[in-house]
Amino acid sequence: MVSSVSDPSRTPVVGLTTYLERATQGVWDVRASFLPQQYFDAVTASGATAVLLPPQPRPAQAAAAVLDGLDGLILTGGLDVQPELYGAERHPLTDPPRADRDAWELALLAGARERGIPVFGICRGLQLINVALGGTLHQHLPEVLGTERYKVGGGVFAENVVRVDAGTRLAGLVGAGDLTVHSYHHQGIDRVGEGLRVTARTDDGLVQAIETGGDDYLVAVQWHPEENAEDRRLFLGLVAAAARHRAARTASEHQGVSA
């Protein structure tokens, strides 16, 4: 008889959200799950198994099924979150809406938080988390800050220095003080969502990282840590939290079987 208890020896499984994008290979021209390799390289190099999560037609139902097999969740970078989700009129430079991904990630985030699954948000992921918790976004930072320091364009990542606050979970991962990061975004947090703590900013005051308190592991950064193969600390932190979550779930399942 096969036990229903999870195998404690396997590595944590971390899901990464993706788009469905047009792709070509040989004679094929189709829509496919798309995510730059840097993301899943960062996960596997940090000791976890990476699973890609493209948008699904019934987000809430699919998220419930998918999350049962995950130990951690990464909301990855991408195009702009729909401003309609936070009650704003669309700016002319805001990306065209991708309702399928927004709905999918909102369902995954809600389900992960209900289950206590660790969550890590990257760039768009930080913005979606903020919106999901009632926050708002600046739709075009050059109009607000008077600079294009965060998106130089052409697929080239800008380098910026963020200041990490001491006494935060983020500081426990990367240290407090100045940190040089890779940026590629033209939007950013305006009003901070409920229950979120700002843990890093740049010298112009822009929010660069958020997290929740207590035992709930939710960390999000506005920059792109997957672009720095020499520094995996944020991914190592997520994988460690995923391993702890997996161990606790396995122990609970063992207790259920014993009962």
Side-chain angles (χ1 to χ4, degrees):
M1 179 177 179
V2 177
S3 171
S4 62
V5 178
S6 300
D7 177 4
S9 65
R10 74 164 169 80
T11 61
V13 177
V14 173
L16 300 102
T17 55
T18 82
Y19 280 110
L20 286 172
E21 293 290 351
R22 183 175 176 180
T24 60
Q25 183 184 47
V27 299
W28 304 109
D29 186 345
V30 297
R31 294 186 79 205
S33 181
F34 172 80
L35 186 71
Q37 184 176 345
Q38 291 93 319
Y39 283 99
F40 44 91
D41 280 353
V43 170
T44 57
S46 299
T49 298
V51 177
L52 301 188
L53 305 175
Q56 304 284 322
R58 293 179 294 279
Q61 180 181 348
V66 165
L67 289 165
D68 286 342
L70 295 183
D71 306 307
L73 173 67
I74 298 179
L75 302 177
T76 63
L79 301 178
D80 298 332
V81 176
Q82 298 175 89
E84 293 81 3
L85 292 175
Y86 50 95
E89 293 186 7
R90 179 172 293 275
H91 188 282
L93 295 178
T94 294
D95 293 327
R98 295 299 296 266
D100 60 342
R101 182 167 177 183
D102 287 342
W104 175 230
E105 291 189 334
L106 288 170
L108 286 169
L109 175 62
R113 299 198 75 205
E114 288 174 1
R115 292 163 173 78
I117 295 173
V119 177
F120 180 33
I122 296 174
C123 197
R124 169 193 155 89
L126 168 139
Q127 296 169 9
L128 183 121
I129 289 167
N130 190 62
V131 169
L133 296 183
T136 61
L137 304 177
H138 294 298
Q139 290 189 59
H140 193 54
L141 290 172
E143 292 183 352
V144 178
L145 302 177
T147 177
E148 296 187 4
R149 62 185 286 190
Y150 299 114
K151 186 176 181 180
V152 297
V156 177
F157 286 85
E159 289 193 357
N160 284 284
V161 176
V162 305
R163 173 62 61 90
V164 178
D165 292 344
T168 62
R169 178 175 279 127
L170 180 63
L173 298 174
V174 301
D178 289 350
L179 177 69
T180 301
V181 302
H182 293 81
S183 307
Y184 203 94
H185 61 96
H186 79 115
Q187 298 197 341
I189 288 180
D190 180 9
R191 185 179 72 244
V192 179
E194 185 177 353
L196 294 172
R197 176 184 181 181
V198 176
T199 58
R201 294 181 186 267
T202 31
D203 56 10
D204 53 16
L206 183 66
V207 174
Q208 291 288 341
I210 52 177
E211 64 185 45
T212 52
D215 295 330
D216 182 19
Y217 190 101
L218 188 155
V219 173
V221 298
Q222 183 61 82
W223 64 89
H224 284 270
E226 77 281 359
E227 292 299 318
N228 187 354
E230 302 303 315
D231 185 356
R232 300 297 197 199
R233 289 176 292 179
L234 290 171
F235 291 96
L236 288 167
L238 183 276
V239 171
R244 292 192 297 269
H245 174 75
R246 174 170 174 71
R249 186 175 63 183
T250 300
S252 177
E253 290 173 352
H254 275 292
Q255 290 176 355
V257 170
S258 298

